[in-house]
Amino acid sequence: MRNVVVVGGGIVGLAVAWELTRRGLDVTVLEKEPRWAAHQTGHNSNVVHAGLYYKPGSFKARMSVAGNRSIVDFARQYGVPVEVCGKLVVATDEKEIPALNTLAERAEANGVPAKKISPAEAREYEPEVACVAALRVESTGIIDFPAVCQALVRLLDEAGVDLRLNSPAMAIRAGANGGVEVATGSDVVVADGLVNCAGLHSDRVARLAGLTPSAKIVPFRGEYYELKPERRGLVKGLIYPVPDPTLPFLGVHLTRMLDGSVHAGPNAVLALRREGYRWADFSAKDVAEVAAFPGVWRLAKKYAIPTGLDEVRRSFSKKRFAASLARLVPAVTEDDIVRHGSGVRAQAMRRDGSLVDDFLIETARDQVHVLNAPSPAATSALEIARHIADQVSA
């Protein structure tokens, strides 16, 4: 291939464009919004994940561990704010210790620097934490992912890459002599190949390109609070619960950000629009599409009660949200937190109701489609980019 069109201007799309450019290809990047990193990347927790949670040998495990190093190195090289501060995963009940032990074993299998510590040792890192045991993970960090994207855009611009905002992929077809043609509404981009990094719309872009994706994007909104400035001293770094291994979400946690603020969350509720950051954000098309998908109903049958119901209740109740945080740091009260914002996770789901738990990348002639890249995709962006570039170059 001589030239490639990348659909999607979040961190994965920009990283792919940069890697392809470094390999000598001409690249065009299409982003439907008026700015880069407008959705998942721009509403991210800004945590550099260590690779702790993921099945050994999976894309997520390998790319997160490698990405933990490469994204930090990139940030330091190009002046992006980053801090490798470590985190605590805490068991607040004896019943959670087996799951914590499993995490410790998984960390060892994945090559993640982590160690079990006692409650007293945990309080040396976090004086206000409550736990019966904890796991200290040294390589977790915090970063400014939108600033990573700004650095990538600068590099791409300096390299002469064709960067197009306000340019949605409205139609895609195979070229008469191979390659692809992408209609944006204002013109048609002709290229030898296409890489779909459209995030919340990746399955729709795949269908536009003639692919029948094996999974459908179902949007889940995660809502955040933050500690009031005078209560930020309750948290020194990052405090996570032991996650429920049957769910793809890590649970409500506390994260000190680069500016000193402390974010709390997120919960996880079904969004009523693919880019629905509030309950008021509603799309009849998106809701009808979700309602018609059998996988959603199968998932609901399994998790709606009590898990889903608890998440919805917490969405509407500041008191419930604070109580979830108080399991980790008992001093946190309802009066200590204020609303901060939300993000939407593009979660791929199969027709049987199972959630795709690994990165999902599917190919067709002259096409590569990233169909599931939620967290830790931002951490892993440079590694995902290398993997995709290898496929494009093959």
Side-chain angles (χ1 to χ4, degrees):
M1 289 184 183
R2 297 180 307 277
N3 52 75
V4 175
V5 57
V6 176
V7 178
I11 193 170
V12 174
L14 293 170
V16 167
W18 175 233
E19 184 64 27
L20 293 174
T21 299
R22 293 173 66 193
R23 298 191 187 196
L25 280 72
D26 293 328
V27 178
T28 300
V29 183
L30 304 179
E31 167 55 49
K32 70 181 180 66
E33 300 293 349
R35 67 187 189 279
W36 306 106
H39 292 296
Q40 288 189 105
T41 307
H43 295 79
N44 191 288
S45 66
N46 284 327
V47 173
V48 180
H49 291 285
L52 171 71
Y53 302 101
Y54 316 116
K55 181 179 178 181
S58 66
F59 276 134
K60 281 188 175 181
R62 291 185 285 113
M63 291 183 178
S64 183
V65 172
N68 177 277
R69 295 187 292 268
S70 61
I71 203 72
V72 170
D73 289 345
F74 180 93
R76 288 172 174 165
Q77 181 176 355
Y78 294 104
V80 174
V82 65
E83 179 185 344
V84 180
C85 54
K87 78 172 180 181
L88 292 181
V89 181
V90 299
T92 58
D93 188 283
E94 295 286 343
K95 293 182 292 187
E96 294 176 335
I97 289 181
L100 188 71
N101 291 336
T102 298
L103 277 183
E105 293 167 1
R106 185 159 284 189
E108 184 176 4
N110 290 343
V112 175
K115 64 177 181 178
K116 284 277 298 296
I117 60 176
S118 68
E121 290 171 315
R123 285 191 290 273
E124 292 178 9
Y125 293 101
E126 295 287 350
E128 298 292 337
V129 78
C131 66
V132 295
L135 192 66
R136 175 66 182 175
V137 186
E138 294 296 342
S139 56
T140 300
I142 49 177
I143 196 170
D144 187 338
F145 280 124
V148 172
C149 291
Q150 292 167 13
L152 285 167
V153 168
R154 286 196 303 272
L155 291 168
L156 292 167
D157 188 51
E158 290 168 3
V161 172
D162 188 0
L163 298 168
R164 304 191 187 187
L165 296 169
N166 299 301
S167 298
M170 300 182 69
I172 303 171
R173 69 182 182 187
N177 298 308
V180 295
E181 298 176 359
V182 183
T184 67
S186 59
D187 66 353
V188 175
V189 179
V190 179
D192 296 325
L194 175 143
V195 180
N196 166 17
C197 301
L200 285 157
H201 298 276
S202 58
D203 57 336
R204 289 174 174 172
V205 170
R207 287 195 294 272
L208 281 179
L211 192 76
T212 301
S214 63
K216 184 177 189 62
I217 294 298
V218 177
F220 285 89
R221 183 173 64 256
E223 298 160 326
Y224 287 88
Y225 282 81
E226 67 175 336
L227 295 186
K228 291 179 179 178
E230 62 271 22
R231 299 294 278 171
R232 290 174 180 174
L234 295 174
V235 177
K236 304 299 182 185
L238 283 69
I239 307 173
Y240 280 60
V242 177
D244 184 336
T246 67
L247 297 174
F249 311 110
L250 297 181
V252 170
H253 47 271
L254 290 149
T255 305
R256 177 172 289 277
M257 309 306 290
L258 288 162
D259 64 0
S261 63
V262 177
H263 290 185
N267 65 344
V269 296
L270 188 66
L272 302 181
R273 181 181 173 187
R274 291 220 180 182
E275 290 146 2
Y277 299 104
R278 304 168 301 161
W279 282 107
D281 293 335
F282 177 84
S283 164
K285 175 187 175 183
D286 290 355
V287 170
E289 201 172 283
V290 167
F293 184 57
V296 170
W297 297 102
R298 289 168 180 147
L299 182 76
K301 183 178 180 180
K302 186 175 182 180
Y303 292 117
I305 300 175
T307 303
L309 186 59
D310 285 345
E311 294 290 325
V312 172
R313 286 172 174 166
R314 187 162 58 194
S315 174
F316 286 100
S317 172
K318 183 180 178 183
K319 182 177 181 180
R320 284 179 177 270
F321 210 108
S324 296
L325 300 173
R327 291 186 65 244
L328 308 175
V329 177
V332 174
T333 69
E334 183 180 357
D335 291 335
D336 295 331
I337 59 175
V338 292
R339 287 272 185 185
H340 178 71
S342 63
V344 179
R345 175 189 178 112
Q347 176 63 54
M349 183 185 298
R350 295 191 171 92
R351 289 182 66 85
D352 65 1
S354 62
L355 300 176
V356 180
D357 63 359
D358 203 358
F359 298 144
L360 177 63
I361 300 170
E362 296 185 358
T363 61
R365 182 184 175 187
D366 302 325
Q367 301 175 21
V368 180
H369 297 268
V370 183
L371 296 173
N372 191 57
S375 180
T379 298
S380 310
L382 298 174
E383 306 306 317
I384 295 172
R386 292 188 181 103
H387 175 79
I388 291 173
D390 287 344
Q391 292 187 305
V392 169
S393 304

